[in-house]
PDB file of all heavy atoms in Angstrom:
ATOM      1  N   LEU A  38      -3.367  -2.579  30.942  1.00  0.00           N
ATOM      2  CA  LEU A  38      -3.341  -3.951  31.418  1.00  0.00           C
ATOM      3  C   LEU A  38      -3.969  -4.893  30.448  1.00  0.00           C
ATOM      4  O   LEU A  38      -3.429  -5.925  30.142  1.00  0.00           O
ATOM      5  CB  LEU A  38      -3.904  -4.026  32.791  1.00  0.00           C
ATOM      6  CG  LEU A  38      -3.902  -5.480  33.418  1.00  0.00           C
ATOM      7  CD1 LEU A  38      -2.403  -6.003  33.567  1.00  0.00           C
ATOM      8  CD2 LEU A  38      -4.526  -5.423  34.787  1.00  0.00           C
ATOM      9  N   ILE A  41      -1.717  -5.311  27.361  1.00  0.00           N
ATOM     10  CA  ILE A  41      -0.534  -6.075  27.741  1.00  0.00           C
ATOM     11  C   ILE A  41      -0.887  -7.611  27.811  1.00  0.00           C
ATOM     12  O   ILE A  41      -0.201  -8.529  27.359  1.00  0.00           O
ATOM     13  CB  ILE A  41       0.113  -5.716  29.072  1.00  0.00           C
ATOM     14  CG1 ILE A  41       0.887  -4.380  28.875  1.00  0.00           C
ATOM     15  CG2 ILE A  41       1.121  -6.785  29.593  1.00  0.00           C
ATOM     16  CD1 ILE A  41       1.326  -3.695  30.148  1.00  0.00           C
ATOM     17  N   MET A  42      -2.095  -7.927  28.389  1.00  0.00           N
ATOM     18  CA  MET A  42      -2.589  -9.217  28.463  1.00  0.00           C
ATOM     19  C   MET A  42      -2.925  -9.777  27.065  1.00  0.00           C
ATOM     20  O   MET A  42      -2.624 -10.998  26.758  1.00  0.00           O
ATOM     21  CB  MET A  42      -3.829  -9.330  29.297  1.00  0.00           C
ATOM     22  CG  MET A  42      -3.528  -9.102  30.763  1.00  0.00           C
ATOM     23  SD  MET A  42      -5.013  -9.179  31.820  1.00  0.00           S
ATOM     24  CE  MET A  42      -5.648 -10.826  31.455  1.00  0.00           C
ATOM     25  N   HIS A  45       0.359 -10.694  25.467  1.00  0.00           N
ATOM     26  CA  HIS A  45       0.934 -11.921  26.080  1.00  0.00           C
ATOM     27  C   HIS A  45       0.212 -13.159  25.603  1.00  0.00           C
ATOM     28  O   HIS A  45       0.878 -14.169  25.312  1.00  0.00           O
ATOM     29  CB  HIS A  45       0.770 -11.771  27.689  1.00  0.00           C
ATOM     30  CG  HIS A  45       1.382 -12.874  28.404  1.00  0.00           C
ATOM     31  ND1 HIS A  45       0.634 -13.899  28.941  1.00  0.00           N
ATOM     32  CD2 HIS A  45       2.707 -13.171  28.643  1.00  0.00           C
ATOM     33  CE1 HIS A  45       1.436 -14.762  29.606  1.00  0.00           C
ATOM     34  NE2 HIS A  45       2.687 -14.343  29.421  1.00  0.00           N
ATOM     35  N   TRP A  68       9.092 -11.814  26.003  1.00  0.00           N
ATOM     36  CA  TRP A  68       8.390 -12.841  26.697  1.00  0.00           C
ATOM     37  C   TRP A  68       8.684 -12.798  28.192  1.00  0.00           C
ATOM     38  O   TRP A  68       7.671 -12.927  28.998  1.00  0.00           O
ATOM     39  CB  TRP A  68       8.700 -14.242  26.088  1.00  0.00           C
ATOM     40  CG  TRP A  68       7.913 -15.287  26.703  1.00  0.00           C
ATOM     41  CD1 TRP A  68       8.432 -16.278  27.450  1.00  0.00           C
ATOM     42  CD2 TRP A  68       6.532 -15.588  26.631  1.00  0.00           C
ATOM     43  NE1 TRP A  68       7.403 -17.211  27.936  1.00  0.00           N
ATOM     44  CE2 TRP A  68       6.255 -16.747  27.373  1.00  0.00           C
ATOM     45  CE3 TRP A  68       5.457 -14.915  26.102  1.00  0.00           C
ATOM     46  CZ2 TRP A  68       4.993 -17.226  27.516  1.00  0.00           C
ATOM     47  CZ3 TRP A  68       4.247 -15.422  26.175  1.00  0.00           C
ATOM     48  CH2 TRP A  68       3.946 -16.532  26.925  1.00  0.00           C
ATOM     49  N   ASP A  69       9.934 -12.665  28.541  1.00  0.00           N
ATOM     50  CA  ASP A  69      10.356 -12.597  29.932  1.00  0.00           C
ATOM     51  C   ASP A  69       9.695 -11.335  30.632  1.00  0.00           C
ATOM     52  O   ASP A  69       9.177 -11.429  31.793  1.00  0.00           O
ATOM     53  CB  ASP A  69      11.911 -12.614  30.082  1.00  0.00           C
ATOM     54  CG  ASP A  69      12.256 -12.611  31.533  1.00  0.00           C
ATOM     55  OD1 ASP A  69      11.806 -13.546  32.279  1.00  0.00           O
ATOM     56  OD2 ASP A  69      13.061 -11.770  31.914  1.00  0.00           O
ATOM     57  N   GLY A  70       9.740 -10.221  29.908  1.00  0.00           N
ATOM     58  CA  GLY A  70       9.155  -9.018  30.490  1.00  0.00           C
ATOM     59  C   GLY A  70       7.623  -9.069  30.705  1.00  0.00           C
ATOM     60  O   GLY A  70       7.160  -8.658  31.726  1.00  0.00           O
ATOM     61  N   LEU A  71       6.958  -9.662  29.738  1.00  0.00           N
ATOM     62  CA  LEU A  71       5.483  -9.887  29.943  1.00  0.00           C
ATOM     63  C   LEU A  71       5.221 -10.834  30.999  1.00  0.00           C
ATOM     64  O   LEU A  71       4.289 -10.586  31.824  1.00  0.00           O
ATOM     65  CB  LEU A  71       4.942 -10.431  28.581  1.00  0.00           C
ATOM     66  CG  LEU A  71       4.862  -9.365  27.461  1.00  0.00           C
ATOM     67  CD1 LEU A  71       4.475 -10.007  26.161  1.00  0.00           C
ATOM     68  CD2 LEU A  71       4.012  -8.116  27.736  1.00  0.00           C
ATOM     69  N   ASN A  72       6.007 -11.919  31.203  1.00  0.00           N
ATOM     70  CA  ASN A  72       5.700 -12.839  32.210  1.00  0.00           C
ATOM     71  C   ASN A  72       5.942 -12.100  33.591  1.00  0.00           C
ATOM     72  O   ASN A  72       5.268 -12.415  34.539  1.00  0.00           O
ATOM     73  CB  ASN A  72       6.690 -14.041  32.031  1.00  0.00           C
ATOM     74  CG  ASN A  72       6.119 -14.925  31.103  1.00  0.00           C
ATOM     75  OD1 ASN A  72       4.856 -15.132  30.874  1.00  0.00           O
ATOM     76  ND2 ASN A  72       6.952 -15.733  30.459  1.00  0.00           N
ATOM     77  N   ARG A  73       7.036 -11.357  33.673  1.00  0.00           N
ATOM     78  CA  ARG A  73       7.294 -10.671  34.935  1.00  0.00           C
ATOM     79  C   ARG A  73       6.234  -9.726  35.340  1.00  0.00           C
ATOM     80  O   ARG A  73       5.948  -9.423  36.502  1.00  0.00           O
ATOM     81  CB  ARG A  73       8.699 -10.009  34.854  1.00  0.00           C
ATOM     82  CG  ARG A  73       9.796 -10.920  34.912  1.00  0.00           C
ATOM     83  CD  ARG A  73      11.068 -10.116  34.821  1.00  0.00           C
ATOM     84  NE  ARG A  73      12.282 -11.035  34.624  1.00  0.00           N
ATOM     85  CZ  ARG A  73      13.408 -10.896  35.363  1.00  0.00           C
ATOM     86  NH1 ARG A  73      13.542  -9.818  36.170  1.00  0.00           N
ATOM     87  NH2 ARG A  73      14.325 -11.763  35.159  1.00  0.00           N
ATOM     88  N   LEU A  74       5.639  -9.084  34.304  1.00  0.00           N
ATOM     89  CA  LEU A  74       4.533  -8.080  34.599  1.00  0.00           C
ATOM     90  C   LEU A  74       3.246  -8.819  35.033  1.00  0.00           C
ATOM     91  O   LEU A  74       2.578  -8.425  35.969  1.00  0.00           O
ATOM     92  CB  LEU A  74       4.274  -7.224  33.347  1.00  0.00           C
ATOM     93  CG  LEU A  74       5.171  -6.116  32.999  1.00  0.00           C
ATOM     94  CD1 LEU A  74       4.910  -5.543  31.658  1.00  0.00           C
ATOM     95  CD2 LEU A  74       5.076  -5.077  34.121  1.00  0.00           C
ATOM     96  N   LEU A  75       2.932  -9.922  34.383  1.00  0.00           N
ATOM     97  CA  LEU A  75       1.634 -10.506  34.563  1.00  0.00           C
ATOM     98  C   LEU A  75       1.596 -11.709  35.599  1.00  0.00           C
ATOM     99  O   LEU A  75       0.514 -11.958  36.140  1.00  0.00           O
ATOM    100  CB  LEU A  75       1.080 -10.995  33.191  1.00  0.00           C
ATOM    101  CG  LEU A  75       0.812  -9.905  32.179  1.00  0.00           C
ATOM    102  CD1 LEU A  75       0.479 -10.467  30.847  1.00  0.00           C
ATOM    103  CD2 LEU A  75      -0.266  -9.013  32.698  1.00  0.00           C
ATOM    104  N   GLU A  76       2.810 -12.263  35.832  1.00  0.00           N
ATOM    105  CA  GLU A  76       2.686 -13.406  36.758  1.00  0.00           C
ATOM    106  C   GLU A  76       2.256 -13.009  38.187  1.00  0.00           C
ATOM    107  O   GLU A  76       1.498 -13.792  38.778  1.00  0.00           O
ATOM    108  CB  GLU A  76       4.097 -14.069  36.801  1.00  0.00           C
ATOM    109  CG  GLU A  76       4.143 -15.413  37.476  1.00  0.00           C
ATOM    110  CD  GLU A  76       3.160 -16.461  36.867  1.00  0.00           C
ATOM    111  OE1 GLU A  76       3.067 -16.452  35.615  1.00  0.00           O
ATOM    112  OE2 GLU A  76       2.612 -17.210  37.624  1.00  0.00           O
ATOM    113  N   PRO A  77       2.648 -11.848  38.675  1.00  0.00           N
ATOM    114  CA  PRO A  77       2.084 -11.465  40.021  1.00  0.00           C
ATOM    115  C   PRO A  77       0.583 -11.335  40.083  1.00  0.00           C
ATOM    116  O   PRO A  77      -0.042 -11.498  41.065  1.00  0.00           O
ATOM    117  CB  PRO A  77       2.859 -10.110  40.383  1.00  0.00           C
ATOM    118  CG  PRO A  77       4.010 -10.152  39.514  1.00  0.00           C
ATOM    119  CD  PRO A  77       3.643 -10.957  38.284  1.00  0.00           C
ATOM    120  N   ILE A  78      -0.052 -11.006  38.933  1.00  0.00           N
ATOM    121  CA  ILE A  78      -1.431 -10.932  38.827  1.00  0.00           C
ATOM    122  C   ILE A  78      -2.024 -12.318  38.722  1.00  0.00           C
ATOM    123  O   ILE A  78      -3.137 -12.569  39.347  1.00  0.00           O
ATOM    124  CB  ILE A  78      -1.875  -9.971  37.671  1.00  0.00           C
ATOM    125  CG1 ILE A  78      -1.333  -8.634  37.819  1.00  0.00           C
ATOM    126  CG2 ILE A  78      -3.351  -9.975  37.474  1.00  0.00           C
ATOM    127  CD1 ILE A  78      -1.410  -7.737  36.617  1.00  0.00           C
ATOM    128  N   TYR A  79      -1.459 -13.191  37.887  1.00  0.00           N
ATOM    129  CA  TYR A  79      -2.112 -14.487  37.608  1.00  0.00           C
ATOM    130  C   TYR A  79      -1.811 -15.489  38.832  1.00  0.00           C
ATOM    131  O   TYR A  79      -2.665 -16.341  39.002  1.00  0.00           O
ATOM    132  CB  TYR A  79      -1.463 -15.115  36.371  1.00  0.00           C
ATOM    133  CG  TYR A  79      -1.698 -14.483  35.050  1.00  0.00           C
ATOM    134  CD1 TYR A  79      -0.901 -14.661  33.958  1.00  0.00           C
ATOM    135  CD2 TYR A  79      -2.893 -13.679  34.922  1.00  0.00           C
ATOM    136  CE1 TYR A  79      -1.198 -14.049  32.762  1.00  0.00           C
ATOM    137  CE2 TYR A  79      -3.141 -13.047  33.729  1.00  0.00           C
ATOM    138  CZ  TYR A  79      -2.307 -13.275  32.605  1.00  0.00           C
ATOM    139  OH  TYR A  79      -2.579 -12.702  31.462  1.00  0.00           O
ATOM    140  N   ARG A  80      -0.775 -15.361  39.503  1.00  0.00           N
ATOM    141  CA  ARG A  80      -0.428 -16.382  40.522  1.00  0.00           C
ATOM    142  C   ARG A  80      -1.492 -16.543  41.621  1.00  0.00           C
ATOM    143  O   ARG A  80      -1.822 -17.709  41.871  1.00  0.00           O
ATOM    144  CB  ARG A  80       0.991 -15.953  41.185  1.00  0.00           C
ATOM    145  CG  ARG A  80       1.518 -17.024  42.027  1.00  0.00           C
ATOM    146  CD  ARG A  80       2.884 -16.717  42.645  1.00  0.00           C
ATOM    147  NE  ARG A  80       3.838 -16.273  41.668  1.00  0.00           N
ATOM    148  CZ  ARG A  80       4.375 -15.037  41.594  1.00  0.00           C
ATOM    149  NH1 ARG A  80       4.125 -14.194  42.585  1.00  0.00           N
ATOM    150  NH2 ARG A  80       5.276 -14.788  40.722  1.00  0.00           N
ATOM    151  N   PRO A  81      -2.092 -15.494  42.128  1.00  0.00           N
ATOM    152  CA  PRO A  81      -3.031 -15.737  43.146  1.00  0.00           C
ATOM    153  C   PRO A  81      -4.320 -16.371  42.639  1.00  0.00           C
ATOM    154  O   PRO A  81      -4.959 -17.219  43.348  1.00  0.00           O
ATOM    155  CB  PRO A  81      -3.403 -14.355  43.732  1.00  0.00           C
ATOM    156  CG  PRO A  81      -2.368 -13.459  43.337  1.00  0.00           C
ATOM    157  CD  PRO A  81      -1.686 -14.085  42.116  1.00  0.00           C
ATOM    158  N   ILE A  82      -4.652 -16.062  41.401  1.00  0.00           N
ATOM    159  CA  ILE A  82      -5.783 -16.725  40.738  1.00  0.00           C
ATOM    160  C   ILE A  82      -5.542 -18.190  40.475  1.00  0.00           C
ATOM    161  O   ILE A  82      -6.415 -19.011  40.654  1.00  0.00           O
ATOM    162  CB  ILE A  82      -6.167 -15.982  39.451  1.00  0.00           C
ATOM    163  CG1 ILE A  82      -6.620 -14.520  39.849  1.00  0.00           C
ATOM    164  CG2 ILE A  82      -7.238 -16.666  38.717  1.00  0.00           C
ATOM    165  CD1 ILE A  82      -6.713 -13.568  38.663  1.00  0.00           C
ATOM    166  N   ARG A  83      -4.262 -18.496  39.994  1.00  0.00           N
ATOM    167  CA  ARG A  83      -3.963 -19.888  39.673  1.00  0.00           C
ATOM    168  C   ARG A  83      -4.014 -20.759  40.957  1.00  0.00           C
ATOM    169  O   ARG A  83      -4.232 -21.966  40.933  1.00  0.00           O
ATOM    170  CB  ARG A  83      -2.548 -19.994  39.055  1.00  0.00           C
ATOM    171  CG  ARG A  83      -2.643 -19.441  37.577  1.00  0.00           C
ATOM    172  CD  ARG A  83      -1.296 -19.566  36.993  1.00  0.00           C
ATOM    173  NE  ARG A  83      -1.262 -19.194  35.599  1.00  0.00           N
ATOM    174  CZ  ARG A  83      -0.345 -18.417  35.027  1.00  0.00           C
ATOM    175  NH1 ARG A  83       0.735 -18.097  35.716  1.00  0.00           N
ATOM    176  NH2 ARG A  83      -0.477 -18.007  33.842  1.00  0.00           N
ATOM    177  N   ARG A  84      -3.712 -20.142  42.112  1.00  0.00           N
ATOM    178  CA  ARG A  84      -3.729 -20.948  43.404  1.00  0.00           C
ATOM    179  C   ARG A  84      -5.132 -21.351  43.724  1.00  0.00           C
ATOM    180  O   ARG A  84      -5.385 -22.424  44.317  1.00  0.00           O
ATOM    181  CB  ARG A  84      -3.237 -20.137  44.518  1.00  0.00           C
ATOM    182  CG  ARG A  84      -1.677 -20.136  44.599  1.00  0.00           C
ATOM    183  CD  ARG A  84      -1.227 -19.554  45.888  1.00  0.00           C
ATOM    184  NE  ARG A  84      -0.146 -18.562  45.536  1.00  0.00           N
ATOM    185  CZ  ARG A  84      -0.014 -17.386  46.009  1.00  0.00           C
ATOM    186  NH1 ARG A  84      -0.885 -16.949  46.905  1.00  0.00           N
ATOM    187  NH2 ARG A  84       1.019 -16.597  45.593  1.00  0.00           N
ATOM    188  N   ASP A  93      -5.216 -22.769  30.909  1.00  0.00           N
ATOM    189  CA  ASP A  93      -5.037 -21.671  31.977  1.00  0.00           C
ATOM    190  C   ASP A  93      -6.103 -20.676  31.897  1.00  0.00           C
ATOM    191  O   ASP A  93      -6.225 -19.940  30.846  1.00  0.00           O
ATOM    192  CB  ASP A  93      -3.686 -21.058  31.689  1.00  0.00           C
ATOM    193  CG  ASP A  93      -3.249 -20.073  32.789  1.00  0.00           C
ATOM    194  OD1 ASP A  93      -3.917 -20.028  33.835  1.00  0.00           O
ATOM    195  OD2 ASP A  93      -2.346 -19.223  32.564  1.00  0.00           O
ATOM    196  N   ALA A  95      -6.633 -18.268  34.223  1.00  0.00           N
ATOM    197  CA  ALA A  95      -6.320 -17.119  34.964  1.00  0.00           C
ATOM    198  C   ALA A  95      -6.413 -15.811  34.063  1.00  0.00           C
ATOM    199  O   ALA A  95      -7.032 -14.821  34.636  1.00  0.00           O
ATOM    200  CB  ALA A  95      -4.803 -17.239  35.510  1.00  0.00           C
ATOM    201  N   PRO A  96      -5.972 -15.832  32.797  1.00  0.00           N
ATOM    202  CA  PRO A  96      -6.186 -14.601  32.040  1.00  0.00           C
ATOM    203  C   PRO A  96      -7.660 -14.286  31.910  1.00  0.00           C
ATOM    204  O   PRO A  96      -8.061 -13.058  31.921  1.00  0.00           O
ATOM    205  CB  PRO A  96      -5.533 -14.880  30.660  1.00  0.00           C
ATOM    206  CG  PRO A  96      -4.452 -15.946  31.038  1.00  0.00           C
ATOM    207  CD  PRO A  96      -5.082 -16.704  32.199  1.00  0.00           C
ATOM    208  N   VAL A  99      -8.944 -12.655  35.022  1.00  0.00           N
ATOM    209  CA  VAL A  99      -8.382 -11.205  35.070  1.00  0.00           C
ATOM    210  C   VAL A  99      -9.188 -10.344  34.141  1.00  0.00           C
ATOM    211  O   VAL A  99      -9.496  -9.178  34.418  1.00  0.00           O
ATOM    212  CB  VAL A  99      -6.874 -11.178  34.826  1.00  0.00           C
ATOM    213  CG1 VAL A  99      -6.400  -9.717  34.793  1.00  0.00           C
ATOM    214  CG2 VAL A  99      -6.188 -11.913  35.906  1.00  0.00           C
TER     215      VAL A  99
END
Side-chain angles (χ1 to χ4, degrees):
L38 180 59
I41 290 172
M42 288 178 61
H45 185 254
W68 182 248
D69 185 52
L71 290 173
N72 281 331
R73 288 179 187 223
L74 281 172
L75 294 173
E76 193 58 36
I78 298 169
Y79 293 159
R80 190 177 309 119
I82 296 169
R83 286 182 180 140
R84 277 191 229 135
D93 186 15
V99 174

